[in-house]
Amino acid sequence: MNINLFIVRHGHSPFLGNDDFSRPLSESGCNQASQVGTFIAQNILNGKTKIITSAAQRTLSTTANICQSLTAFETIELRHLYSASVGDWCDVITEHAAENLILVGHNPTISQLHQYLTQSQSQGFTPATTGHLILEIASDGLKLPAHSQQIFLPN
């Protein structure tokens, strides 16, 4: 199965307070996430769409802004993705494979996931950077490298 995969770092979030998990998006971060939604909507394929997100406030807000551009999707919030490893994200990809899969997470892991899947030395993701990949999943696991389609950087 080939999946149309989008790897998204959450939008800009100011460092406010002592609780990293509850940090909100800034106005700029909301705008960035909306631009990501438009980009994804323009590159989505026919078929099922799943959005997998960390449960932190800034990833949930990024996801909500992306969803405004989409028509049909299933959203899955997983608390353990807040501090997940690349291996954890790979397990999520395999478990939740769909024609279109959107992953919304945190740095540095989300950048490392993109590097691992593409087998490249790509740069780290700035807020709301989105990697668009085509990834094959076979019965014995992920087939690497994934085919990088584009890196989207919002304004």
Side-chain angles (χ1 to χ4, degrees):
M1 169 184 204
N2 283 341
I3 63 170
N4 193 34
L5 178 63
F6 299 90
I7 299 174
V8 182
R9 180 179 175 196
H10 62 77
H12 177 264
S13 179
F15 291 96
L16 300 174
N18 295 326
D19 182 8
D20 184 63
F21 192 80
S22 299
R23 285 185 12 218
L25 289 183
S26 65
E27 182 177 336
S28 172
C30 290
N31 290 334
Q32 291 170 332
S34 293
Q35 290 176 53
V36 169
T38 300
F39 168 75
I40 291 173
Q42 293 169 346
N43 290 283
I44 211 147
L45 302 174
N46 289 331
K48 188 170 188 166
T49 299
K50 288 185 181 181
I51 304 169
I52 312 294
T53 182
S54 155
Q57 183 58 48
R58 59 194 180 276
T59 54
L60 294 174
S61 296
T62 298
T63 298
N65 279 281
I66 289 169
C67 290
Q68 292 176 8
S69 297
L70 305 176
T71 55
F73 53 87
E74 174 186 3
T75 302
I76 301 167
E77 176 185 325
L78 299 173
R79 188 169 182 86
H80 77 279
L81 294 179
Y82 174 69
S83 58
S85 68
V86 169
D88 295 331
W89 279 101
C90 289
D91 291 344
V92 165
I93 292 168
T94 303
E95 181 180 339
H96 295 283
E99 287 83 2
N100 300 288
L101 187 59
I102 303 163
L103 308 176
V104 183
H106 308 271
N107 251 1
T109 311
I110 211 75
S111 297
Q112 293 166 348
L113 176 64
H114 185 271
Q115 290 173 347
Y116 174 73
L117 293 175
T118 59
Q119 301 286 284
S120 71
Q121 294 299 317
S122 58
Q123 297 296 316
F125 281 19
T126 57
T129 297
T130 302
H132 178 203
L133 312 172
I134 303 298
L135 176 64
E136 181 182 352
I137 302 177
S139 60
D140 61 344
L142 305 178
K143 296 297 180 187
L144 303 179
H147 301 284
S148 181
Q149 302 300 295
Q150 186 175 357
I151 297 286
F152 175 74
L153 302 166
N155 297 330

